[in-house]
């Protein structure tokens, strides 16, 4: 697929999706949303890609919604707004639901929907000058579509503050509340990413997908008989896969597992 608002850079087993609208700080509109969804589908289907990085060209990761897009949406009917929101929600689900590890590479602004993109990735690395906000209340709206991902990252207590205040917060604060995993100087972003990527490449791809599914299935559930049974069923299924058999045999035989060949 030919993209106009983003590009995909492939290096070995890592694909980086670059949002490429630096003139508007990678703010997204209908086209960027659609192209991000398409890029997720393309990379999810590509078995040669083991890790997906999401980044923004220029000084900023993403300033959130494009002002012209917001202006158009303000004149939409309720039904048109639903369709528009569903497009955005679908893209975030595609990003969050990728069957392989995803990492947000964040510098500068990650505001509104930009915070949502960071939260929808499995992991996030931010430069020390990055700024975050769920700023929707300042425009008389709410961070509804991004809320499942932000809540998953920071929990309801922190969300109660930031969803209602719309205040900006630093990369260090984002680290403290769980939105990002690593904070570094801007010049060190790529080196920090590499330190995350190396062990991810070493992991078994089917097991990584199963691990993501496991977290989604049992998070916030009480530890009862149902959860115990589900975890037993999941490990039993995984142990029976060819990947698991090869991985265990490779460990015992002191050889490289097949997914690293």
């Amino acid at each position: 697929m030919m993209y106009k608002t983003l590009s995909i850079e492939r290096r070995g087993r890592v694909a980086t999706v670059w949002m490429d609208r630096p003139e508007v700080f990678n703010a997204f509109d209908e086209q960027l949303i659609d192209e991000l969804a398409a890029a997720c589908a393309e990379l999810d289907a590509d078995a040669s890609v083991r890790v997906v990085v999401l980044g923004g060209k220029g000084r900023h990761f993403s300033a959130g919604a494009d002002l012209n897009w917001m202006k158009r949406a303000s004149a939409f009917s309720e039904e048109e707004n639903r369709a528009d929101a569903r497009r955005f929600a679908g893209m975030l689900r595609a990003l969050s639901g990728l069957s392989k590890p995803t990492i947000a590479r964040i510098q500068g602004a990650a505001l509104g929907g930009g915070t949502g993109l960071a939260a929808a990735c499995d992991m996030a690395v931010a430069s020390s000058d990055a700024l975050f906000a769920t700023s929707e209340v300042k425009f008389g709206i709410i961070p509804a579509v991004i809320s499942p991902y932000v809540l998953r990252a920071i929990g309801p207590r922190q969300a109660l503050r930031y969803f209602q205040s719309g205040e900006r917060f630093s990369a260090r604060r984002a680290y403290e509340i769980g939105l990002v995993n690593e904070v570094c100087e801007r010049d060190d972003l790529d080196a920090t990413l590499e330190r995350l990527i190396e062990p991810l490449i070493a992991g078994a791809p089917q097991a990584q997908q199963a691990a993501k599914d496991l977290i989604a299935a049992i998070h916030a559930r009480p530890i009862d008989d149902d959860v115990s049974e589900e975890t037993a069923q999941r490990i039993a299924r995984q142990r029976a896969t060819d990947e698991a058999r090869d991985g265990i045999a490779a460990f015992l035989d002191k050889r490289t597992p097949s997914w690293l060949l």
Side-chain angles (χ1 to χ4, degrees):
M1 177 174 174
M2 296 296 294
Y3 298 103
K4 294 183 178 179
T5 63
L6 61 81
S7 61
I8 299 177
E9 177 186 4
R10 298 168 186 263
R11 291 189 177 182
R13 302 185 185 193
V14 180
T16 301
V17 179
W18 291 106
M19 294 178 284
D20 197 2
R21 304 185 74 216
E23 70 282 0
V24 292
F25 303 158
N26 296 311
F28 46 79
D29 58 7
E30 303 97 324
Q31 185 170 15
L32 179 53
I33 289 170
D34 287 345
E35 291 191 359
L36 281 170
C40 287
E42 176 185 335
L43 296 175
D44 204 39
D46 187 344
S48 70
V49 174
R50 293 291 317 281
V51 176
V52 176
V53 176
L54 177 63
K57 291 284 190 179
R59 294 168 51 210
H60 300 282
F61 175 70
S62 174
D66 184 281
L67 293 177
N68 289 321
W69 179 46
M70 291 179 67
K71 184 177 180 180
R72 290 193 297 274
S74 69
F76 285 171
S77 67
E78 185 174 340
E79 183 55 40
E80 288 171 326
N81 267 304
R82 268 195 292 271
D84 198 55
R86 285 170 182 152
R87 178 189 290 114
F88 185 29
M91 179 271 285
L92 289 174
R93 282 187 67 187
L95 177 59
S96 177
L98 275 167
S99 61
K100 51 202 72 180
T102 56
I103 310 173
R105 179 193 185 279
I106 302 160
Q107 82 284 359
L111 307 177
T115 292
L117 289 172
C121 291
D122 298 335
M123 291 153 264
V125 174
S127 64
S128 57
D129 64 349
L131 286 174
F132 301 83
T134 51
S135 49
E136 286 80 355
V137 291
K138 294 186 175 182
F139 305 99
I141 55 178
I142 55 175
V145 176
I146 68 172
S147 63
Y149 310 100
V150 180
L151 276 166
R152 180 179 66 182
I154 71 174
R157 185 64 169 175
Q158 300 296 345
L160 281 166
R161 172 179 174 177
Y162 292 110
F163 281 18
Q164 294 183 93
S165 70
E167 66 194 281
R168 295 187 178 191
F169 54 95
S170 68
R172 180 55 54 186
R173 179 62 177 156
Y175 174 81
E176 291 171 352
I177 64 178
L179 182 60
V180 303
N181 302 86
E182 302 283 346
V183 177
C184 61
E185 295 305 309
R186 187 179 286 227
D187 290 344
D188 295 330
L189 269 173
D190 292 329
T192 304
L193 274 171
E194 285 301 317
R195 287 196 293 273
L196 276 179
I197 289 169
E198 184 176 356
L200 292 172
I201 295 293
Q206 292 175 29
Q208 287 172 335
Q209 180 177 1
K212 290 178 72 164
D213 293 343
L214 171 66
I215 294 166
I218 69 171
H219 174 65
R221 289 173 58 182
I223 304 174
D224 55 15
D225 289 345
D226 288 342
V227 163
S228 294
E229 178 61 20
E230 179 155 355
T231 58
Q233 293 284 352
R234 285 175 179 268
I235 185 57
R237 287 196 300 271
Q238 192 63 29
R239 283 174 179 165
T241 64
D242 291 340
E243 183 184 79
R245 292 190 183 100
D246 178 68
I248 293 168
F251 176 77
L252 294 174
D253 297 341
K254 297 181 173 56
R255 63 171 173 83
T256 301
S258 59
W259 60 84
L260 289 179
L261 297 176

